[in-house]
Amino acid sequence: MSGPRRLAILLLAAATLLGFAPGSASAADSHRVANIAHRGSGAMAPENTLASVRLALQQGADYIENDIMRTSDGALVIMHDLTLARTTNVEQVFPDRAPWNTKDFTLAEIKQLDAGSWFSASYAGQRVPTLREWVEAVGSRAGMLLEAKDPWAFPGIELDIDKELRSIPAFGKALASGRVIMQAGDEPWLRSYHDLAPDVPVGLLYYTRPTDEQLVSASTWLDSVHPALGNIDQGIVDRAHALGLDIHVWTVNFGGDMSRGIAWGVDGIITDYPSVLRDILRKG
Ligand code: G3P
Ligand code: CA
């Protein structure tokens, strides 16, 4: 190999390591995509538990997503379903309490439940975390994508969420460092929360392809739009960006789909497999 060619290769290798390689736009773009772990590392640990949070952190998640609900005695807990039946052993512990709605149980009752065994015996004993426990577990190690799940079932929960979050030092630090987003699929609820907490970035979930009218409206108050990857295309990503919005897509579990979202330039990918997305982003 000639001297100049060897020098050129060495310079290219050094530039690549530093992220400045000419023509490496895809690698540079990849690094801007946030790896958002859905319900923690939701496919590899019991969703929304602290074990799932810890695994997502180990797997390099940039943000961790959750779902917030309220108990009968006013505690905020991390739970996706309106009923506790799918992700805990509530049917065994409280056989006479069908349909086992989250909102009908006290925090002390919910804390008796095993939220890990349904997923794997190796996670036996995992508990349903409170919002405070979840925020403290994430701490400064990742950003927080908080979701008020089915807020219509918990009247006034925006007040409870705001009060609780403001009392947690780790939340204040995350907010100050720009690593908090509150999302919901219920637009009126999200507007109520935004009125209450205008300093917290907000993102709206879309269950169909967002119309241009919706995107224009979104740009007047939202920080980000959160559609399903399957409902969008390059045009939606470009339009969101032109309107000054970030775009985070869900729930993307196949490598090919992750690569498609990255190529379109989305800002965040919500996935049950943060380790797979991490590896794709690393490869660029
Ligand atoms: O973060 C997006 C996604 O969580 C919305 O769907 O049902 O998993 O809360 P779901
Ligand atoms: Ca969610």
Side-chain angles (χ1 to χ4, degrees):
M1 187 184 299
S2 70
R5 180 167 161 71
R6 182 180 294 121
L7 180 62
I9 288 172
L10 283 172
L11 286 172
L12 183 61
T16 300
L17 281 172
L18 293 169
F20 299 131
S24 66
S26 64
D29 289 344
S30 297
H31 292 298
R32 289 200 295 271
V33 179
N35 183 347
I36 307 174
H38 185 233
R39 311 182 196 174
S41 190
M44 302 179 83
E47 64 182 59
N48 279 329
T49 62
L50 296 188
S52 191
V53 167
R54 287 191 285 268
L55 187 57
L57 292 170
Q58 287 168 21
Q59 293 175 336
D62 300 308
Y63 277 74
I64 302 180
E65 191 258 11
N66 72 10
D67 303 282
I68 306 168
M69 290 191 172
R70 189 176 62 200
T71 66
S72 65
D73 54 344
L76 297 172
V77 292
I78 307 305
M79 174 60 55
H80 179 272
D81 296 359
L82 287 169
T83 167
L84 297 157
R86 182 177 61 88
T87 58
T88 75
N89 63 343
V90 69
E91 294 180 54
Q92 285 81 55
V93 179
F94 298 103
D96 303 326
R97 300 275 293 276
W100 302 286
N101 289 329
T102 306
K103 69 182 176 63
D104 295 334
F105 285 77
T106 65
L107 179 61
E109 288 170 338
I110 288 177
K111 280 294 187 183
Q112 295 175 41
L113 305 177
D114 182 336
S117 291
W118 69 275
F119 185 88
S120 158
S122 62
Y123 285 107
Q126 280 296 304
R127 301 293 162 192
V128 174
T130 63
L131 176 59
R132 177 177 296 271
E133 289 166 343
W134 187 96
V135 167
E136 288 174 347
V138 176
S140 59
R141 286 166 284 185
M144 302 174 191
L145 177 56
L146 308 162
E147 179 175 354
K149 176 55 67 182
D150 294 332
W152 53 268
F154 308 94
I157 195 172
E158 62 275 14
L159 296 163
D160 301 323
I161 290 175
D162 188 50
K163 184 176 175 195
E164 182 72 350
L165 288 175
R166 306 261 181 215
S167 75
I168 307 171
F171 173 80
K173 286 182 191 161
L175 184 61
S177 62
R179 301 218 291 171
V180 173
I181 304 170
M182 176 66 72
Q183 73 171 357
D186 181 329
E187 181 170 351
W189 182 87
L190 195 60
R191 283 185 183 272
S192 299
Y193 176 78
H194 180 57
D195 289 345
L196 200 62
D199 55 329
V200 179
V202 282
L204 183 62
L205 288 159
Y206 295 81
Y207 299 98
T208 55
R209 179 186 172 90
T211 64
D212 199 64
E213 188 182 4
Q214 286 175 317
L215 291 175
V216 170
S217 170
S219 70
T220 65
W221 68 287
L222 292 170
D223 297 275
S224 51
V225 290
H226 301 189
L229 180 75
N231 287 336
I232 66 161
D233 53 24
Q234 181 77 67
I236 295 282
V237 176
D238 292 346
R239 183 65 172 140
H241 286 162
L243 289 165
L245 293 159
D246 282 350
I247 180 164
H248 305 301
V249 291
W250 52 276
T251 297
V252 188
N253 287 337
F254 294 103
D257 291 333
M258 293 172 184
S259 296
R260 192 155 46 101
I262 293 165
W264 286 344
V266 302
D267 301 284
I269 293 179
I270 300 164
T271 178
D272 290 314
Y273 294 92
S275 59
V276 173
L277 180 54
R278 173 202 61 201
D279 291 346
I280 287 173
L281 292 171
R282 277 184 185 164
K283 281 179 195 153

